[in-house]
Amino acid sequence: MNNWIVLPTVLPAMTAALLILALPHHLKHQRVVSVASTILALALAIGLLVLAGDGTPRAYFLGNWPAPFGIVLVLDRLSAIMLLLSAALALMVAVYACAGWDKRGRHFHALLQFQLLGVNGAFLTGDLFNLFVFFEVMLIASYGLMLHGGGAPRLKAGFHYVAINLIASTLFLFGVGLIYAITGTLNMADLAGKVAAVSADDQALLKTGAMLLFAVFATKAALVPLHWWLPSAYAATSAPAAAMFMIMTKVGAYAIIRVYGLIFGADAGPLAAMVAPIVIPAAIVTLIVGAIGVLASRNLRDLVCFSVVASMGNLLIAVGLFDGPGTTAALSYLVHSTLTGAALFLLVDVISQRRGQQLDRLEPAPAIANETLLGAMFFLGAIAMVGMPPLSGFIGKLLILDATRQAPQAPLIWAVMLGASLLMMIGYARAGSMIFWNNSEPVPSAGGAAVAKAPGLTGITLVPLVVIALLLAATAALSLGAGPFTRAFAATSDQLLDKAGYVRAVLSPAAGAGTGGN
């Protein structure tokens, strides 16, 4: 069964190659292959989640080279959860794009598969250099998705997006270079045992390398002050691409959990918990900036983009605790925010297509077709993102508040989280009333008769509606199954705290989880 671990990277790589080489001009065939591949990836992720459910980390050694000398992929509860989340999101995005977005440029489905390859590889890799490699695969694919469909605003935002990520990639290389120069290894399990033994003379250089990596991960996770690229980039790109990008910010959060929990955690000697004093204060500021941005937004796209920034603030407050309850809360909120953000990006796309020249701007416009249904979906998405009951955002925020009760910054965290929720509630209420309530009168036709809805707009197509409904239903399912899901996340956080199990699976597979494959 260990040989299954490599499949989440092999499947999208082979699918992307097939789409480009064999089906470059056959969009209908591309759609069938892409959707079928993501369905298979989802089934594979479910299988791997079941496999990881016994609590034993498993390693796959490419070429059967032993760690720390060869490339190793590691499956545990955390990586399995992230694989399932990315596969489910990719399937929703692929299906939504088939409704017409994939016609606006070339190779949408191939780029989506390449991005899935990079994301899955980042979740599975067991060494820092291949984390860099999979980051680059993910980012190169995201450049294409970012610019898919063309347009001057998209090109301008894409230039900024590419520039900031190229700088981050350069810092990543400097960071791993310093770490390798000091320790002689980049294998995470090997580093977990060597960091504490680094001499005092080399600790400053090792800390520099670790802080460079943190700057890179903080950029990916949109942590203030490295967040500024996200609102402009996500607002300018297509709706399916923005929805898929929801998993990319979570890659940054995942990397912080993995690297600064496993390598620079409590057992790292003088370098233990080195980023802990930074994460929570920066996350609090991130939450404040995101909430103010939601309140000040003048269109729906910006509203959702700043909601993503705010959600990363909530998530990283929990991550910054670096303990069991904090990680449990972080995982719960991570899954919720990914699904909710994707649903809102797609919903805004559907709404803006039906508002004529007003698009998604927060200004009066003629009533749109199916406004009751769209308004209900917007209401559900809003209360989920703000964190109001009964949807999963409420559960996630409760877990975060409960996890921070004993933290030194607890009064500040509680005040900021509750205040930010209020600001976001006002922002979403303002947007909803402007779009669905404060509509102008029906537009008169040429003959004098009133047109009941905006001219030229018909009903909603079924495919986008179903995709959005499924994403919103998933947030409701997280709330209904809060008990089992929370227990699963708690088991995942317990496994993360058991560093010896991870190290044993990678460095001593015969005594731990078994061997990999050829």
Side-chain angles (χ1 to χ4, degrees), residues 78 82 85 217 220-223 246-257 279-280 282-284 286-287 307-322 325-338 396-397 399-401 403-404 413 417:
L78 176 59
M82 301 305 294
L85 181 61
F217 301 152
K220 309 300 183 188
L223 187 67
M246 286 302 302
I247 198 66
M248 289 179 57
T249 51
K250 308 311 184 295
V251 174
Y254 167 87
I256 292 173
I257 294 172
V279 176
I280 290 182
I284 291 173
T286 302
L287 177 55
S307 297
V308 174
V309 174
S311 71
M312 292 307 298
N314 285 317
L315 172 60
L316 291 168
I317 286 174
V319 170
L321 296 173
F322 290 104
T327 304
T328 300
L331 293 176
S332 176
Y333 195 81
L334 183 152
V335 175
H336 146 78
S337 60
T338 301
K397 284 192 175 182
L399 290 173
I400 296 173
L401 292 172
T404 58
I413 292 172
M417 287 188 64

Side-chain angles (χ1 to χ4, degrees), residues 289-488:
V289 170
I292 294 174
V294 168
L295 190 62
S297 296
R298 297 184 179 181
N299 58 67
L300 290 177
R301 268 295 184 92
D302 288 343
L303 183 83
V304 180
C305 289
F306 280 102
S307 297
V308 174
V309 174
S311 71
M312 292 307 298
N314 285 317
L315 172 60
L316 291 168
I317 286 174
V319 170
L321 296 173
F322 290 104
D323 60 12
T327 304
T328 300
L331 293 176
S332 176
Y333 195 81
L334 183 152
V335 175
H336 146 78
S337 60
T338 301
L339 298 173
T340 304
L344 284 172
F345 275 120
L346 299 181
L347 180 59
V348 167
D349 180 53
V350 171
I351 293 171
S352 63
Q353 289 180 24
R354 284 151 180 79
R355 297 191 75 229
Q357 294 181 348
Q358 282 77 17
L359 296 174
D360 66 333
R361 293 190 294 274
L362 297 182
E363 57 186 40
I368 61 176
N370 303 100
E371 65 177 353
T372 302
L373 178 59
L374 288 174
M377 285 185 162
F378 183 82
F379 176 75
L380 291 174
I383 64 174
M385 181 59 79
V386 171
M388 297 176 61
L391 297 183
S392 55
F394 178 69
I395 305 296
K397 284 192 175 182
L398 275 182
L399 290 173
I400 296 173
L401 292 172
D402 183 63
T404 58
R405 281 187 303 168
Q406 304 301 321
Q409 311 97 323
L412 178 61
I413 292 172
W414 279 54
V416 170
M417 287 188 64
L418 295 176
S421 296
L422 177 60
L423 292 180
M424 292 177 67
M425 187 188 307
I426 295 171
Y428 272 94
R430 166 176 166 264
S433 62
M434 184 65 68
I435 299 295
F436 300 105
W437 190 1
N438 189 23
N439 294 318
S440 55
E441 294 296 324
V443 180
S445 65
V451 178
K453 300 295 180 184
L457 301 178
T458 58
I460 302 173
T461 58
L462 181 62
V463 171
L465 178 64
V466 171
V467 170
I468 297 168
L470 287 174
L471 289 169
L472 292 175
T475 66
L478 287 172
S479 182
L480 290 173
F485 283 119
T486 302
R487 287 192 291 272

Side-chain angles (χ1 to χ4, degrees), residues 144-176:
L145 288 175
M146 171 75 196
L147 300 174
H148 190 268
R154 192 166 299 170
L155 184 62
K156 180 180 178 181
F159 176 80
H160 294 158
Y161 176 74
V162 172
I164 188 65
N165 280 289
L166 287 177
I167 295 172
S169 298
T170 303
L171 294 178
F172 203 146
L173 277 180
F174 288 161
V176 297

